[in-house]
């Protein structure tokens, strides 16, 4: 049974086959709420496709999965509502021309527009601003992003962030919706050994706090539940993780929301 926060995950003979062949197939695993699940494999092995499928952004074609008690591929929309994406190329990337503050304000406005109740929109402006500030501060603290340590504090452009800082910002934006499942792509990409350890420390802490974490990586830490895509052999071609993930997700799941 799920905890009040984290979402349990499971998959049985789970797969997705597209025009280019199998993206992933035969995936089987079970993870409880608050687990740290690492999708391990080289780039181009269908890791991102599996991440998008398990968060309701792609429709699988083989077997089934359950996320937070919701069966996939049938309940894509429900799973999307309680899962959130950190950085996923082509789907939820940061805008390099935006500042950190602009990204944070935009996410607050989007949450107010899509997730807020009509009654919340009638609250006094000062009260709404205070709630937004609390939401931002809580997410930044959980993601370990210290705005004062950035070159221009919250006015720092995304293009000027270090890779680990950008990862923390993406995670903070995702956490503002208090997701039960957090998915992060390319967790260890272009990180030094020291920064890689810090990234996993962050995701480990989020899982320990109750959020189920699904992280794509080239090498999983020993304490994570490791899942592999096991792409089909022979002439079948796995999904290319470097393609435009948003176009693929939109075509398969019929949604443009990350």
């Amino acid at each position: 049974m799920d905890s009040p926060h984290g979402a349990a995950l499971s998959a049985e003979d789970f797969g997705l086959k597209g025009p280019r062949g199998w993206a992933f197939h035969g995936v089987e695993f079970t993870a409880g709420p608050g687990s740290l699940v690492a999708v391990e494999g080289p780039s181009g092995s269908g890791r991102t496709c599996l991440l998008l499928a398990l968060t309701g952004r792609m429709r699988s074609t083989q077997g089934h999965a359950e996320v937070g008690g919701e069966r996939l591929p049938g309940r894509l929309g429900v799973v999307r509502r309680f899962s959130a994406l950190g950085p996923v190329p082509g789907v939820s990337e940061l805008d390099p021309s935006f500042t950190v503050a602009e990204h944070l304000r935009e996410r607050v406005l989007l949450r107010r527009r899509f997730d807020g109740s009509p009654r919340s929109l009638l609250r006094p402006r000062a009260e709404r601003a205070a709630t937004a500030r609390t939401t931002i501060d809580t997410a930044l603290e959980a993601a370990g992003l210290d705005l004062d340590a950035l070159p221009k504090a919250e006015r720092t452009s995304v293009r000027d962030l270090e890779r680990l800082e950008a990862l923390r910002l993406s995670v903070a934006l995702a956490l503002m919706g208090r997701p039960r499942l957090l998915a992060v792509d390319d967790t260890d990409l272009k990180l030094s050994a020291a920064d890689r350890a810090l990234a996993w420390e962050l995701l480990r802490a989020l899982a320990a706090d109750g959020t189920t974490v699904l992280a794509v990586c080239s090498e999983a830490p020993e304490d994570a539940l490791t899942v592999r895509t096991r792409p089909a052999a022979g002439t079948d071609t796995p999904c290319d993780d470097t393609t435009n993930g948003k176009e693929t997700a939109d075509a398969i799941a019929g949604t443009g929301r990350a």
Side-chain angles (χ1 to χ4, degrees):
M1 179 176 294
D2 278 350
S3 72
H5 189 55
L9 300 176
S10 66
E12 184 175 340
D13 195 29
F14 197 48
L16 185 155
K17 190 173 186 179
R20 300 182 59 203
W22 286 102
F24 58 86
H25 82 120
V27 174
E28 298 198 7
F29 72 96
T30 300
S35 294
L36 175 60
V37 182
V39 181
E40 183 185 76
S43 179
S45 62
R47 307 173 307 173
T48 301
C49 294
L50 178 56
L51 176 146
L52 292 173
L54 288 170
T55 55
R57 275 78 177 177
M58 272 187 159
R59 182 178 295 277
S60 60
T61 58
Q62 172 183 284
H64 70 273
E66 285 198 7
V67 182
E70 304 294 341
R71 192 178 179 93
L72 296 175
R75 304 279 285 174
L76 295 171
V78 177
V79 171
R80 285 197 296 271
R81 285 197 288 272
F82 63 75
S83 62
L85 300 181
V88 178
V91 181
S92 56
E93 292 174 303
L94 298 173
D95 188 324
S97 66
F98 274 26
T99 65
V100 172
E102 287 170 337
H103 269 293
L104 293 169
R105 285 198 297 270
E106 179 187 56
R107 187 56 58 94
V108 166
L109 291 173
L110 287 173
R111 288 192 65 246
R112 189 179 299 164
R113 169 66 178 82
F114 292 107
D115 302 327
S117 65
R119 179 174 295 181
S120 68
L121 299 176
L122 299 176
R123 292 182 302 173
R125 182 188 297 271
E127 184 179 339
R128 295 201 306 269
T131 299
R133 189 69 251 176
T134 299
T135 298
I136 289 173
D137 290 344
T138 300
L140 289 173
E141 181 178 2
L145 183 60
D146 181 2
L147 298 185
D148 293 334
L150 302 180
K152 296 181 181 179
E154 65 179 13
R155 293 182 294 108
T156 303
S157 294
V158 166
R159 64 169 59 92
D160 295 325
L161 295 176
E162 299 291 338
R163 161 66 181 159
L164 181 59
E165 292 169 341
L167 176 65
R168 291 187 187 278
L169 175 58
S170 290
V171 168
L173 294 172
L175 291 176
M176 287 170 66
R178 298 195 73 251
R180 297 172 62 197
L181 171 63
L182 170 68
V184 179
D185 198 12
D186 289 335
T187 301
D188 51 8
L189 180 67
K190 297 181 180 180
L191 289 180
S192 65
D195 283 349
R196 189 180 306 123
L198 290 173
W200 284 114
E201 182 181 306
L202 164 63
L203 300 183
R204 196 176 290 115
L206 294 174
D209 195 44
T211 303
T212 303
V213 177
L214 181 66
V216 163
C217 61
S218 58
E219 185 176 352
E222 292 183 357
D223 59 338
L225 171 64
T226 302
V227 176
R228 296 180 178 85
T229 56
R230 299 193 301 179
T235 58
D236 285 337
T237 304
C239 175
D240 182 357
D241 285 352
T242 64
T243 58
N244 190 318
K246 186 178 188 304
E247 291 179 0
T248 307
D250 286 353
I252 297 178
T255 175
R257 293 188 59 192

